[in-house]
Amino acid sequence: MNMRILIISADNLGISIEQVPYQHFEYLKYPVLVGEKEYRETETFTASWLLERFIKEKITAKSSSLSRAEMTDLIEKNINNYDLIIHIVMGSNMSAATFNIAEEVREKYKGKVNIINVDTRQVVGGVGVILLRLIDIIKENEKEEEIRNRARELVVNTFSYYVTPDLNYLYRGGRIGKAKAFLGSVLRVLPVVGLMGDDPEGEVVPIGQERTYKQANSLIINSIMEKMNEQKADKITVSIISGDESNSEAINGLRQEFVSSVPVEKLVTGKLHLVEAIYMGPGGYGITVCMK
Amino acid sequence: MRREISEIKQLFDNISEYFWRHKEYVNRLNVFPVPDGDTGLNIALTIQGALSNIPGNLPDTILAGEYLKLISDNMLLNSRGCSGVILSLFFEGITEVLENNDFSRENILRAIEKGCITAYKGTDNPREGTMLTLMSELKKKYSEIMTTKENPLEIIIDCIPHLREVLDKTPDMLPILKQSGVVDSGGAGFLIILEGLEREFNSRKIPETLPLFAALRINSVVKNLLVKRFSHKKRSDTGTLVQNLGAGNITNARLHKIIHNVQQYLKNRTHSHNNRYRAREALIKDTKEFESSWNPDIRYRYCTELTVSSDKDIDSQALKKQIINYGDSLIISGRGNTFKIHIHTNKPDSVIKDISLFGNIISRKVDDMKKQHRNFISFDSIEYENEQSVFCIVSGEGFKKILQNLGADYVYDYGKRKPSVKKLVDLLNSLKSKNVIAAPDDRDILMTLKYAASLCKANVFIVESKDAISLISLLMGKTNKINNTNFLSRDRINNIKHFMISKAAKESSIDDIPIKKGDFFVICDNKIILTGRELKDVATKAINKLLNDESIITVYNGLHVKGNKLAAGLKNKFPGLEFEEYYGGQTQYLYYLTLE
């Protein structure tokens, strides 16, 4: 008999929900706080809506961890229909609270249903790419231990790069990590920061800083090629995401240069969600590659 | 994380912290194979590097044996210096056995045995009287007393008194240690690690040590006193001073003995002339030997360490054959497709080139041991606090701020007066860094910098940058990889296309281009390419001449630019380009313009 597997995650995938090619998929929405008011992503409250308010109204926004009650409800609702639940969670070093809640829920349902919490070490874009690759793996293999091991492999082989014209969005959100070194530049620079799956500390790290988008894109591509060499990867899964149209030329440049110089197996053009826009800010874009 | 793993992690963290606090004690013993005073630092960084690279979110299923193996793999990759590499080899052998998660006292013995084999085998010329001897003695003593207790950790702790005795005997095994009056530094480091383990049960104070410069100075005073008496020179107060010196405060065993013997010699006036002559001659010989033991001829100057990785297995024997003749202290560790190499050599570039034939070099470190040795024995020796720093020398307050923000560890703004050698030596030393990448904004400073580099305490890598823009270019390439010494400085300095504008103070002709007094002229790649009466016209022509597919023009105003909006004026001429304007504050040129 086939094992019934449910995958759950949240709306910080960097890809739209329609892009998830798996029938048994459920997701939660992160609460976004603008001032005192809490928002969840809807057709009205989107990443574009928030980015526009950042520019026009100079507002500040923050997110909070996923709700324990909502997570429990989701499990409760599905507990009898599935043999295994895989929860793809944003990196525990980015949000320890969310991962702890996921662990508590796993403990609560121990003996009733098996839950695997995958600590992705990723956020924007990276969570989505790990989800896509894990779906491929589940389609090939249904053994729990094998899935667990392969998920671990995916995590350490996934690398995200972000071009964020204004690092203060990341800083205000408390996710700046080691990229703090790039803050406060007198020169207008484009910081390129990253989340490296093979970095045990799982913090945002500085990759480099450039003056033009073209230079930033070259830096990212060179860094990915170097990583591919290190990991001995010959084909990779890629997701490119952006929040607004202001940098479409840069993103097209990145896509073209990428496709012409790197052997890509699957290229996904993602979508920025409301919660992700908090950290990217206007004009930001990112690229995630999975080398397994 | 499981409780068992958390406890192991805590134990290692505590040992690392304990060792870090006592690294200076180990540094001060470092005389073999080269007295460069960094054994303590190398061991401390080896342990710390291993622990800091362990993933924080390990799976719940991980067992103690696997966890120790993970520490061992990281220790190997992060090992530094001879002692660091030998320690990591020993631990590699231990964890290979413990991978089976059998922590019985019998299996721990097998693990220590395997650790010894791996450490001896991995060392090209294993010498007794070093850390290796202590490892071997641990194995023997453990085997001898194994049946007394059940808990293997307690058995190891019970071996410590014996190992202390062995450490005290290392000077009898390695003559250089006896001559220098110290025990082996690597061995002492190994013992401190075990004592860190013991400290979990009870504590013991590590002895204070006399700074090496003080020991050498005392020895020198005593030698001079004896030589002067030998040549019948006038008596001085030094004799009285030496007679009253509290020899008990001198922790160096050899110097302690010398002082004791000299005091006896000075006190005893009843011997015959011939006997006193011979005794004095022997004492002078002692002081000279002590002095030379800390000042050996360093045959191979550079301590070179590399990690090489390939997509297929590396033949370690072929690798050894390829580089063995480049120097000594060769240690090759690792397995499969990744190996760590340590060698003392005078040709680090050739070693790197030859090793690159076997795969990609993923990390490398080259330390100048002569430089470190000079620092180690000097009265003003520096305790290094950083592995590497970036030091920029620039004219202009604006550029100083820009470079600081871009990540330079220290920027010296020399204004109009170029820095002296002394100033640069002081600044380089104040960084307390083992390696410094130093880059000036003017070629005229290079000679001064090179001389200062030879006098300061750090290994200085000079980047022959030619102007402030080269420094910006250099720092734009500075990433988090700098500590892996992957900082290919020289490749980065010419990445930004730029030119300078200045104003002629007198009439002249350069490169067949006539320049009138008051003319503006453009310098690009060290050549004057344009002149003219109007600033905006000259700048426009220069941009047109150099522009390719760049999109941003940046103007850096010099100290003497007053209220001139060059960037705004140029914006009208080039509406499709983006213009930015900053204050550089440079004195050499009115403007720097970059095209990016």
Side-chain angles (χ1 to χ4, degrees):
Chain A
M1 196 180 101
N2 288 344
M3 182 152 65
R4 296 165 304 163
I5 302 173
L6 171 71
I7 302 179
I8 61 174
S9 193
D11 62 342
N12 60 347
L13 297 168
I15 53 173
S16 70
I17 305 306
E18 293 73 37
Q19 285 174 301
V20 179
Y22 192 72
Q23 197 187 338
H24 308 282
F25 174 70
E26 299 258 14
Y27 73 102
L28 297 165
K29 290 179 180 179
Y30 274 97
V32 171
L33 301 162
V34 179
E36 299 281 300
K37 202 169 171 190
E38 184 183 307
Y39 295 87
R40 302 286 176 113
E41 188 169 65
T42 61
E43 279 185 13
T44 311
F45 302 121
T46 59
S48 306
W49 169 81
L50 186 62
L51 293 173
E52 211 177 308
R53 291 193 68 188
F54 277 146
I55 298 166
K56 288 183 181 165
E57 300 169 35
K58 308 280 177 212
I59 57 151
T60 55
K62 56 183 183 178
S63 65
S64 77
S65 57
L66 288 177
S67 146
R68 183 186 281 102
E70 288 172 22
M71 210 185 282
T72 310
D73 286 349
L74 187 63
I75 304 289
E76 202 67 54
K77 193 176 89 181
N78 291 289
I79 191 165
N80 296 323
N81 304 327
Y82 295 96
D83 307 309
L84 176 66
I85 297 175
I86 302 172
H87 188 173
I88 318 277
V89 198
M90 74 181 278
S92 61
N93 281 17
M94 293 284 115
S95 172
T98 297
F99 194 77
N100 286 341
I101 291 170
E103 284 290 275
E104 282 167 27
V105 171
R106 185 178 63 83
E107 276 295 317
K108 186 179 171 183
Y109 288 96
K110 211 170 182 177
K112 293 177 186 163
V113 64
N114 285 350
I115 301 177
I116 300 175
N117 287 327
V118 179
D119 179 356
T120 57
R121 293 189 191 172
Q122 294 290 332
V123 282
V124 186
V127 181
V129 169
I130 289 179
L131 169 70
L132 291 178
R133 284 294 296 121
L134 201 66
I135 290 170
D136 293 339
I137 288 165
I138 289 170
K139 284 176 182 170
E140 287 168 15
N141 199 309
E142 288 186 344
K143 285 186 186 147
E144 186 180 332
E145 198 49 39
E146 179 72 13
I147 293 171
R148 205 186 282 274
N149 291 338
R150 298 283 296 273
R152 210 171 291 144
E153 263 182 24
L154 291 182
V155 169
V156 295
N157 281 286
T158 300
F159 309 95
S160 293
Y161 299 83
Y162 306 105
V163 180
T164 49
D166 189 349
L167 270 183
N168 282 306
Y169 289 95
L170 208 55
Y171 178 63
R172 282 194 288 265
R175 305 281 196 270
I176 189 84
K178 286 176 184 163
K180 199 173 178 180
F182 283 172
L183 271 177
S185 175
V186 177
L187 271 190
R188 188 181 67 86
V189 291
L190 284 173
V192 181
V193 299
L195 269 174
M196 303 290 107
D198 58 356
D199 173 14
E201 290 178 34
E203 276 187 297
V204 174
V205 292
I207 303 293
Q209 42 193 345
E210 298 291 359
R211 296 271 290 147
T212 65
Y213 285 109
K214 198 176 167 187
Q215 291 168 345
N217 289 345
S218 293
L219 176 70
I220 291 173
I221 288 170
N222 287 340
S223 179
I224 290 173
M225 301 278 265
E226 219 172 85
K227 275 279 170 211
M228 285 181 73
N229 200 20
E230 254 176 50
Q231 307 288 331
K232 298 168 191 75
D234 48 5
K235 283 197 173 170
I236 55 178
T237 304
V238 184
S239 165
I240 298 178
I241 55 161
S242 74
D244 54 32
E245 294 300 311
S246 66
N247 51 23
S248 55
E249 203 180 316
I251 293 163
N252 286 337
L254 175 65
R255 189 178 291 113
Q256 275 167 21
E257 206 178 332
F258 204 81
V259 172
S260 63
S261 51
V262 182
V264 179
E265 194 163 21
K266 190 190 281 181
L267 175 65
V268 178
T269 301
K271 178 203 165 199
L272 200 72
H273 290 270
L274 177 68
V275 64
E276 295 167 321
I278 297 174
Y279 304 101
M280 290 286 270
Y285 60 94
I287 179 165
T288 296
V289 294
C290 179
M291 301 188 180
K292 272 282 168 188
Chain B
M1 195 184 286
R2 288 171 45 183
R3 198 171 150 213
E4 184 189 34
I5 302 296
S6 303
E7 281 174 4
I8 296 175
K9 184 182 179 305
Q10 192 60 52
L11 179 71
F12 273 86
D13 284 345
N14 290 346
I15 291 173
S16 173
E17 194 190 308
Y18 182 73
F19 194 93
W20 194 261
R21 287 208 305 277
H22 297 106
K23 69 178 191 321
E24 204 46 41
Y25 160 74
V26 179
N27 282 342
R28 286 176 183 172
L29 300 171
N30 183 193
V31 66
F32 180 77
V34 175
D36 52 356
D38 66 354
T39 301
L41 181 67
N42 284 335
I43 295 178
L45 290 172
T46 300
I47 302 171
Q48 197 186 57
L51 299 178
S52 64
N53 281 288
I54 301 293
N57 55 343
L58 290 168
D60 285 346
T61 49
I62 191 163
L63 298 171
E66 290 172 68
Y67 185 71
L68 290 172
K69 191 78 184 61
L70 204 56
I71 297 179
S72 159
D73 289 347
N74 280 298
M75 195 183 272
L76 207 59
L77 287 173
N78 290 285
S79 57
R80 288 154 199 259
C82 279
S83 302
V85 180
I86 294 172
L87 181 68
S88 67
L89 285 166
F90 179 69
F91 198 60
E92 188 195 9
I94 285 185
T95 54
E96 256 178 49
V97 173
L98 296 183
E99 248 185 323
N100 64 4
N101 291 297
D102 174 1
F103 294 94
S104 65
R105 60 187 188 187
E106 291 78 12
N107 202 45
I108 294 282
L109 174 63
R110 279 192 286 276
I112 296 171
E113 279 170 349
K114 179 73 180 169
C116 287
I117 292 168
T118 313
Y120 272 87
K121 213 172 142 189
T123 310
D124 184 48
N125 181 19
R127 299 284 292 270
E128 292 306 333
T130 64
M131 180 187 250
L132 288 166
T133 305
L134 269 88
M135 289 166 176
S136 166
E137 286 296 322
L138 172 66
K139 178 189 73 181
K140 284 183 201 158
K141 191 71 188 172
Y142 184 101
S143 164
E144 188 186 313
I145 62 170
M146 193 173 73
T147 49
T148 57
K149 278 180 183 156
E150 275 303 320
N151 184 342
L153 280 185
E154 283 184 49
I155 302 171
I156 291 174
I157 287 163
D158 285 352
C159 293
I160 290 177
H162 170 69
L163 295 181
R164 278 189 199 124
E165 285 171 20
V166 174
L167 181 68
D168 288 342
K169 285 178 192 160
T170 54
D172 298 329
M173 301 175 217
L174 206 53
I176 183 68
L177 299 178
K178 189 165 234 172
Q179 277 173 29
S180 313
V182 288
V183 293
D184 179 61
S185 57
F190 182 69
L191 194 56
I192 286 179
I193 293 169
L194 297 182
E195 284 169 352
L197 193 69
E198 183 188 24
R199 193 171 159 269
E200 297 291 305
F201 296 82
N202 52 46
S203 64
R204 174 184 171 263
K205 205 172 177 303
I206 299 290
E208 291 289 321
T209 48
L210 193 65
L212 184 57
F213 80 88
L216 289 171
R217 183 79 189 110
I218 292 169
N219 181 65
S220 168
V221 166
V222 170
K223 187 183 80 181
N224 288 342
L225 171 76
L226 293 164
V227 170
K228 277 178 186 168
R229 283 180 173 239
F230 193 64
S231 51
H232 302 288
K233 284 194 178 168
K234 205 178 140 188
R235 279 191 179 191
S236 71
D237 295 337
T238 318
T240 317
L241 198 143
V242 171
Q243 267 178 301
N244 289 291
L245 200 63
N249 295 330
I250 294 174
T251 50
N252 182 292
R254 182 81 195 271
L255 188 61
H256 178 93
K257 199 173 167 190
I258 290 172
I259 297 293
H260 176 78
N261 290 344
V262 171
Q263 285 174 338
Q264 291 300 311
Y265 164 79
L266 292 172
K267 209 187 292 176
N268 199 340
R269 296 172 189 281
T270 56
H271 287 169
S272 70
H273 177 75
N274 271 352
N275 283 348
R276 282 184 65 76
Y277 174 82
R278 275 197 295 275
R280 191 164 52 192
E281 210 177 25
L283 286 171
I284 291 170
K285 190 168 166 262
D286 269 359
T287 58
K288 284 183 177 170
E289 271 179 13
F290 179 73
E291 192 177 66
S292 64
S293 68
W294 288 103
N295 288 287
D297 178 25
I298 297 176
R299 197 167 156 217
Y300 296 109
R301 181 170 183 162
Y302 299 100
C303 173
T304 307
E305 288 174 16
L306 303 105
T307 308
V308 62
S309 183
S310 171
D311 51 4
K312 54 186 183 218
D313 281 358
I314 294 171
D315 180 350
S316 61
Q317 285 308 312
L319 180 65
K320 184 176 175 180
K321 204 173 158 193
Q322 185 81 24
I323 59 167
I324 195 163
N325 293 325
Y326 279 121
D328 62 12
S329 300
L330 174 65
I331 306 172
I332 298 176
S333 56
R335 61 182 166 274
N337 63 353
T338 304
F339 280 84
K340 171 113 189 180
I341 298 106
H342 169 280
I343 188 169
H344 292 173
T345 180
N346 288 327
K347 294 179 175 174
D349 288 342
S350 304
V351 171
I352 292 165
K353 199 176 157 194
D354 280 15
I355 290 175
S356 67
L357 299 172
F358 292 81
N360 293 325
I361 291 171
I362 55 177
S363 74
R364 66 182 180 192
K365 172 184 90 74
V366 179
D367 284 349
D368 182 342
M369 294 189 295
K370 273 197 180 171
K371 203 56 174 299
Q372 286 172 219
H373 172 255
R374 276 207 298 273
N375 174 41
F376 184 37
I377 62 167
S378 66
F379 75 95
D380 55 349
S381 71
I382 285 175
E383 287 180 21
Y384 299 125
E385 287 174 6
N386 309 302
E387 182 69 25
Q388 186 161 279
S389 300
V390 178
F391 171 51
C392 295
I393 305 154
V394 73
S395 164
E397 201 186 324
F399 277 119
K400 180 180 178 175
K401 282 183 186 157
I402 289 169
L403 295 169
Q404 273 172 340
N405 287 148
L406 286 176
D409 295 290
Y410 189 79
V411 183
Y412 175 60
D413 169 18
Y414 63 85
K416 289 179 188 172
R417 293 174 62 189
K418 294 199 171 76
S420 65
V421 172
K422 186 183 180 307
K423 180 75 192 171
L424 291 180
V425 170
D426 289 347
L427 290 171
L428 286 164
N429 285 341
S430 71
L431 292 168
K432 293 192 172 183
S433 195
K434 205 164 158 187
N435 299 299
V436 177
I437 294 171
D441 72 342
D442 191 325
R443 282 186 193 276
D444 286 351
I445 298 172
L446 281 174
M447 282 297 286
T448 320
L449 181 59
K450 280 178 184 168
Y451 192 43
S454 70
L455 297 176
C456 78
K457 312 284 186 182
N459 302 320
V460 182
F461 302 91
I462 295 173
V463 180
E464 300 201 357
S465 42
K466 55 186 188 297
D467 52 44
I469 305 302
S470 318
L471 301 186
I472 291 177
S473 184
L474 172 80
L475 288 163
M476 292 289 276
K478 179 179 181 282
T479 70
N480 58 325
K481 284 191 170 181
I482 190 165
N483 288 331
N484 291 338
T485 56
N486 280 338
F487 192 51
L488 302 172
S489 324
R490 273 164 295 192
D491 299 344
R492 289 283 313 190
I493 58 171
N494 296 319
N495 276 8
I496 302 178
K497 194 189 279 184
H498 64 282
F499 61 88
M500 289 79 88
I501 301 178
S502 211
K503 196 173 185 180
K506 58 177 185 170
E507 198 161 312
S508 61
S509 174
I510 300 169
D511 297 336
D512 293 334
I513 298 177
I515 307 169
K516 289 178 194 156
K517 186 181 176 185
D519 271 3
F520 291 98
F521 59 95
V522 174
I523 304 163
C524 182
D525 287 337
N526 297 322
K527 279 184 185 166
I528 292 178
I529 58 165
L530 280 167
T531 65
R533 296 302 291 177
E534 291 298 323
L535 173 65
K536 207 196 293 177
D537 289 348
V538 169
T540 305
K541 280 181 191 166
I543 292 172
N544 274 326
K545 197 175 169 94
L546 297 170
L547 191 69
N548 197 354
D549 61 347
E550 292 82 5
S551 57
I552 301 177
I553 308 286
T554 310
V555 180
Y556 296 92
N557 295 329
L559 181 70
H560 303 299
V561 173
K562 299 233 162 31
N564 193 323
K565 300 284 177 200
L566 179 61
L570 290 171
K571 175 84 186 153
N572 296 332
K573 299 256 181 188
F574 300 94
L577 295 178
E578 208 176 315
F579 279 82
E580 289 178 12
E581 191 166 19
Y582 297 96
Y583 174 63
Q586 71 275 13
T587 52
Q588 305 100 310
Y589 309 107
L590 282 176
Y591 300 97
Y592 278 106
L593 275 87
T594 64
L595 295 82
E596 294 170 89

